[in-house]
Amino acid sequence: MKSHFDASQGDLALQEVPIRTYPGLAWDVLEKLYNDYMGSKGLFASIQRQDAPQNLFIPEGMKQGSPEHALWLFFATMTDRRDVSDNVYRAHVKLHKETPWLYTEEVIGKDPQEFEPTLKAAGVSMSGASSRVWPVCAKTLFEVFDGNPLALYAEGSIDGILKWKARRPEVNLPGFGPKILSLLSLFYEELGLVTMPKDAFPVDVHVQRFCIATGIIEAQGKIHTQNVEKALRPLLCRIVNQRGWSALELSHAIWLLGNRQCTGCHRNGESQLLCPVYRECGGPPNTRPYFKKGAWDFDSPRLRKGGEKTFRIPDDWPLFGTKTADAQ
């Protein structure tokens, strides 16, 4: 049983509703997506992993995969919530150029009110919340982990890290839950810095929307995104591990489909040609409650999928090598 999200109260209410997952359907739908992605078919013939924002947006002069890059990703990923990912990492490129000290020990002990306007001006989402947790996470990073964010994954699993955090009061990393820890491990595996834990899968807005749209997950009413994540992460990790797939690649496949296709599906007449799961999709849910309230409204109408056809044969075109009467 999962907690029901009451938007009028702005918090989790006592009422509980079931969240249902469908492993068999998930298996079939994800296989179609994964095969298209790995085979560079449909959408993925022109969109690949290098088009993901963490690869497009890197501070000038910073070597990809360097300790400095790993440190920058730690802070950038820390603020990756309730915003479009392109905006998140673009903002941190700007922020690093203008205020590089934010990514060093200098930020420890700083008053968040001093640099919150700087975060906001750079375009960092939820700048108030981000400024409050920034020096706290920096203190843990530099004093507990000697400034090495890769040491976070010494426990070898996401659940292990969370249990270890609970036992160690000095490990204060607000905001670093399963989603952010999974996402950061994905970035580090992509750079060859760590091995992504077997229970890591970043269940972000694109993953949740994909699973709701294709019927992998069902519920009623307004459900907190954290509860959707709790239901989906074990399922997705189990399928990935059983199939021998790369969680890194499947994550990218879902993210790229969601960001480059699903968002504009309703106005794209070629959607059914580009999307490997177009037939299974019931239409994407509206993401506005996700970004504004941190919840999904499972009862709201789905958005239309696919736009009008963008190509048709003109009436005066020759057919099968013959000329039309008008052309003669």
Side-chain angles (χ1 to χ4, degrees):
M1 301 292 285
K2 305 297 180 180
S3 298
H4 183 277
F5 187 87
D6 188 338
S8 65
Q9 296 182 20
D11 204 347
L12 292 177
L14 295 177
Q15 181 183 358
E16 293 188 337
V17 295
I19 291 182
R20 298 174 296 280
T21 59
Y22 297 90
L25 176 62
W27 188 289
D28 294 338
V29 168
L30 292 173
E31 184 174 39
K32 291 181 179 181
L33 174 65
Y34 192 77
N35 288 343
D36 262 27
Y37 174 79
M38 298 302 289
S40 299
K41 298 177 182 177
L43 173 73
F44 306 115
S46 56
I47 299 293
Q48 286 293 319
R49 192 203 299 168
Q50 61 267 22
D51 298 299
Q54 73 276 7
N55 296 320
L56 291 177
F57 304 107
I58 301 174
E60 185 178 357
M62 184 177 289
K63 183 179 178 182
Q64 196 170 21
S66 65
E68 183 186 20
H69 187 212
L71 199 60
W72 178 81
L73 279 171
F74 172 87
F75 288 104
T77 307
M78 176 185 70
T79 70
D80 192 347
R81 55 185 181 274
R82 297 200 194 179
D83 197 5
V84 178
S85 295
D86 285 29
N87 294 342
V88 173
Y89 299 94
R90 184 188 293 111
H92 277 273
V93 168
K94 178 176 170 34
L95 196 62
H96 186 272
K97 180 180 181 180
E98 296 175 351
T99 51
W101 58 269
L102 281 167
Y103 302 86
T104 70
E105 290 180 87
E106 289 185 43
V107 74
I108 298 175
K110 292 283 188 181
D111 184 350
Q113 293 185 350
E114 291 181 13
F115 60 87
E116 190 272 333
T118 304
L119 302 189
K120 186 174 182 179
V124 174
S125 174
M126 301 178 68
S127 56
S130 294
S131 65
R132 289 191 294 273
V133 303
W134 197 299
V136 177
C137 291
K139 180 178 176 64
T140 299
L141 175 63
F142 289 104
E143 295 184 0
V144 178
F145 296 104
D146 296 322
N148 177 20
L150 306 182
L152 268 171
Y153 298 95
E155 289 295 310
S157 72
I158 299 300
D159 290 338
I161 295 171
L162 296 174
K163 291 177 182 177
W164 181 72
K165 279 176 58 182
R167 295 195 304 267
R168 299 278 300 274
E170 72 274 20
V171 182
N172 193 3
L173 292 169
F176 278 85
K179 175 201 162 186
I180 295 299
L181 287 169
S182 294
L183 182 61
L184 188 58
S185 74
L186 182 150
F187 293 161
Y188 288 160
E189 174 165 293
E190 189 173 37
L191 295 169
L193 302 177
V194 303
T195 298
M196 198 170 170
K198 293 290 186 182
D199 63 343
F201 204 100
V203 185
D204 64 4
V205 60
H206 297 293
V207 174
Q208 295 188 27
R209 178 175 61 180
F210 174 85
C211 291
I212 294 171
T214 55
I216 291 173
I217 187 168
E218 288 184 350
Q220 292 180 329
K222 296 180 177 68
I223 309 296
H224 200 288
T225 59
Q226 289 183 354
N227 289 325
V228 176
E229 188 275 340
K230 288 178 183 177
L232 284 175
R233 182 169 63 97
L235 171 64
L236 295 172
C237 289
R238 185 168 69 249
I239 291 174
V240 164
N241 294 327
Q242 289 177 349
R243 297 304 302 269
W245 293 343
S246 164
L248 167 71
E249 302 295 5
L250 181 60
S251 295
H252 275 296
I254 299 176
W255 190 92
L256 289 168
L257 181 71
N259 185 267
R260 302 294 193 259
Q261 177 65 35
C262 298
T263 300
C265 178
H266 65 284
R267 57 179 177 270
N268 188 347
E270 306 304 324
S271 291
Q272 58 186 306
L273 302 177
L274 297 173
C275 177
V277 296
Y278 185 84
R279 293 183 63 183
E280 290 80 5
C281 179
N286 195 323
T287 58
R288 187 174 300 172
Y290 179 99
F291 289 113
K292 291 192 70 175
K293 297 288 187 179
W296 290 104
D297 185 354
F298 280 80
D299 293 339
S300 66
R302 300 290 177 84
L303 300 176
R304 179 170 60 87
K305 68 173 186 177
E308 297 299 323
K309 290 290 186 180
T310 58
F311 173 82
R312 71 177 182 87
I313 299 177
D315 295 337
D316 61 349
W317 267 30
L319 298 176
F320 305 107
T322 63
K323 294 183 178 180
T324 65
D326 290 339
Q328 292 176 353

